[in-house]
């Protein structure tokens, strides 16, 4: 039909070979598609060679909860002083802070449980405006530095949780007016989270066995695992605390400690057979 020895013949021969290869590929794809429609599945490592879909699987969720009593408290407070110069403001703040810290140590608070979280010194400004009259309107006023403010913030960990009311009272008696961040929590919280996670996994496994039985399938390997919602939740109780050491009962507030609910949510995906 064509002469392979000529340039035209060579080109024609190459074109025919390309068409033959494409025709073979087309027939192969049609064959695979037909087998797939008849229920034939080909895959490696659980992946469908035709559609690229994953193996059959089920996902179950489990929840674990622990209710624990807080065993430590934390308090945040700040000493704030103002003066004409930074040095004067620092001196006033240092005196008040040292007196406050000495008072806390007298209550039994250890050095390791007292931590400075912030220290700032910055200028204070006053802004002046000019009043316009019917005859003139002076340029707008500016700002003038009238002094400086120094702030030192402290975080205190209270290991004897029953001492928290007297710690608050003692800080107040020292003249500190910026007190915030009172929290009751669990010292070994990581251990409690692990225990809640274990309960959540057991819950998920039990649900998976029940679901597999109801569906009439068998559980295979675990395909995936995810975890979320590990957090403590405060649950209020009627247990109050009144100061029992140092300070006066009159200035020590009642502090309901509540309970902490630690929750773990997990999701496990199983292969099914």
């Amino acid at each position: 039909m064509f002469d392979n020895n000529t340039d035209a013949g060579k080109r024609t021969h190459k074109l025919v070979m390309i068409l033959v290869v494409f025709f073979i590929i087309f027939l192969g794809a049609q064959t695979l598609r037909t087998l797939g429609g008849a229920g034939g599945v080909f895959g490696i490592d659980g992946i469908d060679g035709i559609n690229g879909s994953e193996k059959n699987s089920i996902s179950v969720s489990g929840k674990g909860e622990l209710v624990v009593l807080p065993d430590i408290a934390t308090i945040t407070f700040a000493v704030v002083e103002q003066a004409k110069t930074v040095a004067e403001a620092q001196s006033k703040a240092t005196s008040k802070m040292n007196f406050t810290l000495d008072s806390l140590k007298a209550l039994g608070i250890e050095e390791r449980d007292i931590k400075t979280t912030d220290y700032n010194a910055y200028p204070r400004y006053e802004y002046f405006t000019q009043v316009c009259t019917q005859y003139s309107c002076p340029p707008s006023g500016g700002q003038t530095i009238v002094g400086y403010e120094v702030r030192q913030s402290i975080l205190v960990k209270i290991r004897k949780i029953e001492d928290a009311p007297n710690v608050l009272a003692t800080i107040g008696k020292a003249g500190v007016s910026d007190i915030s961040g009172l929290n009751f929590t669990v010292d070994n919280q990581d251990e409690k989270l692990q225990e809640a996670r274990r309960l959540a996994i057991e819950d998920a496994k039990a649900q998976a066995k029940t679901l597999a039985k109801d569906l009439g399938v068998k559980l295979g390997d675990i395909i995936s695992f995810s975890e979320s919602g590990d957090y403590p939740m405060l649950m209020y109780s009627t247990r109050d605390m009144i100061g029992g050491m140092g300070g006066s009962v009159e200035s020590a507030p009642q502090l309901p400690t509540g309970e902490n609910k630690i929750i773990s949510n997990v999701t496990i995906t199983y292969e099914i057979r």
Side-chain angles (χ1 to χ4, degrees):
M1 295 174 59
F2 49 82
D3 187 355
N4 288 337
N5 294 325
T6 65
D7 292 339
K10 291 179 180 180
R11 287 194 296 271
T12 303
H13 177 73
K14 184 181 295 185
L15 178 61
V16 170
M17 293 302 296
I18 292 174
L19 292 174
V20 169
V21 171
F22 276 112
F23 181 73
I24 292 173
I25 293 174
F26 175 78
L27 287 179
Q30 289 295 102
T31 302
L32 290 176
R33 204 173 282 118
T34 301
L35 289 174
V41 177
F42 301 87
I44 300 176
D45 294 334
I47 303 300
D48 187 329
I50 304 299
N51 302 314
S53 59
E54 298 181 357
K55 286 185 175 181
N56 292 331
S57 63
I58 57 173
S59 295
V60 290
S61 297
K63 184 176 182 179
E65 294 185 7
L66 286 177
V67 177
V68 295
L69 293 177
D71 54 11
I72 62 170
T74 58
I75 293 174
T76 300
F77 70 91
V79 168
V80 182
E81 292 293 337
Q82 299 176 351
K84 290 293 185 179
T85 65
V86 174
E88 290 176 326
Q90 284 181 315
S91 178
K92 293 170 64 176
T94 298
S95 297
K96 182 177 289 187
M97 179 60 74
N98 289 345
F99 177 78
T100 305
L101 297 182
D102 289 342
S103 300
L104 291 177
K105 292 172 186 176
L107 289 178
I109 305 298
E110 300 180 19
E111 286 272 4
R112 60 174 179 153
D113 295 328
I114 302 174
K115 178 182 179 180
T116 297
T117 59
D118 196 24
Y119 190 98
N120 289 302
Y122 43 85
R124 296 172 51 243
Y125 294 95
E126 281 189 2
Y127 297 88
F128 299 95
T129 58
Q130 301 292 339
V131 180
C132 294
T133 67
Q134 60 179 339
Y135 303 106
S136 65
C137 189
S140 59
Q143 61 183 21
T144 301
I145 295 178
V146 294
Y148 295 86
E149 181 172 295
V150 170
R151 168 186 288 265
Q152 182 178 357
S153 300
I154 298 290
L155 175 66
V156 180
K157 178 185 285 188
I158 306 169
R159 297 184 185 274
K160 294 181 180 180
I161 198 169
E162 64 273 12
D163 294 344
N166 280 325
V167 170
L168 283 174
T170 299
I171 293 173
K173 287 181 180 180
V176 177
S177 58
D178 191 342
I179 306 173
S180 62
L182 172 62
N183 292 297
F184 295 105
T185 185
V186 182
D187 198 18
N188 59 341
Q189 187 165 298
D190 288 342
E191 295 179 9
K192 299 300 182 182
L193 286 174
Q194 291 176 9
E195 188 174 349
R197 184 184 302 116
R198 179 182 58 79
L199 294 175
I201 292 173
E202 290 178 357
D203 181 38
K205 286 182 176 180
Q207 293 189 49
K209 290 179 181 179
T210 300
L211 183 59
K213 182 179 179 180
D214 293 341
L215 292 174
V217 297
K218 293 183 178 180
L219 295 176
D221 296 331
I222 293 176
I223 297 175
S224 67
F225 171 84
S226 63
E227 180 181 12
S228 64
D230 287 349
Y231 54 90
M233 295 179 59
L234 184 62
M235 300 169 55
Y236 291 101
S237 72
T238 58
R239 186 165 67 100
D240 293 344
M241 300 190 311
I242 299 179
M245 58 172 289
S248 65
V249 175
E250 290 78 11
S251 60
Q254 294 186 12
L255 301 176
T257 61
E259 296 174 333
N260 283 4
K261 179 185 287 187
I262 298 176
I263 299 177
S264 176
N265 295 301
V266 302
T267 300
I268 301 177
T269 301
Y270 288 90
E271 174 192 352
I272 58 174
R273 299 167 183 167

